[in-house]
Amino acid sequence: MTEADIDAVSAVRVQGWQAAYPGLMPQAYLDAMSVARDAAERRSRFGRRLPQACDLVAVREGAVAGWAALGPARDPDLSGTPDTPGSPGVSDAPAAEPPADRPAAGELFALYVTPGLTGTGIGRALLTAGLDRARAAGWETLCLWVVRGNTRARRFYERAGFVPDGAEEAYEVAGVSVPEVRYRRPVASGAGPSRRPPAPSAPPSPPSPPASARTSS
């Protein structure tokens, strides 16, 4: 991801929330989300990311079609840092450098695909690239938080080898409690994301050029 990708990444994120969370978050909040506002906040902190944090974009036919962000794990039981909310807020990234003696754990902060392109392999390409980046960083495990009612996302991560580890938390969105479940998987395991086809409920998509992932750090 480069600074030139910020507007496209913000569009993917906002549209991804608006497609994934109706019924799980207040609709008025989702309707009020602004690509321009998200992009302005993202641009203001673009140069202040942690050294081990990275953003990945999936490019299809020359356009950004998906985005993922990962970095050192934020949860105290994995990172040794003071408690930091794990909710997927606007930043989708940690705010402070973890201590040097933290366990070797990474976190997938966000992964979104342009609505209408889910089930086409873009999410899998991003997750594969993220796992490769996690291995290069030396992390032993990769965790993520997913909204408990987001069954499609949970199936996607379960097919990729992630399993719930028992941790749960809730955060507030416009005064409404939104419960999340934490998933984890080993980073160094031989298998990457499953190559099984998407769940039958996913609509078929016409053949198209595969997405490629590129990164910045």
Side-chain angles (χ1 to χ4, degrees):
M1 176 179 167
T2 68
E3 191 167 1
D5 296 319
I6 287 176
D7 289 332
V9 165
S10 289
V12 168
R13 178 182 179 272
V14 169
Q15 292 167 13
W17 273 54
Q18 291 172 335
Y21 299 136
L24 301 175
M25 297 183 185
Q27 190 61 45
Y29 178 88
L30 297 174
D31 292 342
M33 291 182 73
S34 163
V35 172
R37 184 168 60 247
D38 186 278
E41 295 180 10
R42 196 171 300 279
R43 189 170 285 108
S44 72
R45 63 175 180 271
F46 185 77
R48 297 185 284 109
R49 292 168 300 167
L50 298 182
Q52 285 188 291
C54 74
D55 292 274
L56 300 159
V57 290
V59 178
R60 177 169 163 170
E61 299 180 350
V64 171
W67 163 70
L70 67 157
R74 296 173 289 183
D75 293 323
D77 59 327
L78 299 179
S79 69
T81 60
D83 195 11
T84 303
S87 62
V90 173
S91 65
D92 294 311
E97 182 71 55
D101 60 351
R102 66 167 177 81
E107 180 176 350
L108 181 66
F109 304 128
L111 193 159
Y112 294 100
V113 174
T114 299
L117 295 178
T118 54
T120 62
I122 294 172
R124 186 170 62 235
L126 284 168
L127 188 53
T128 298
L131 286 165
D132 288 343
R133 191 61 180 252
R135 292 184 191 100
W139 298 328
E140 296 174 1
T141 62
L142 189 67
C143 74
L144 60 92
W145 287 90
V146 60
V147 173
R148 189 166 63 195
N150 191 349
T151 55
R152 181 168 189 162
R154 295 182 69 169
R155 287 196 301 265
F156 170 77
Y157 291 121
E158 287 164 3
R159 287 197 298 269
F162 287 86
V163 295
D165 69 359
E168 297 191 15
E169 68 175 21
Y171 66 102
E172 282 198 2
V173 175
V176 174
S177 179
V178 178
E180 289 187 303
V181 178
R182 191 172 71 186
Y183 278 69
R184 265 196 279 180
R185 64 155 281 174
V187 167
S189 60
S194 169
R195 297 292 176 177
R196 288 188 294 171
S201 58
S205 301
S208 58
S212 62
R214 53 184 167 86
T215 181
S216 72
S217 59

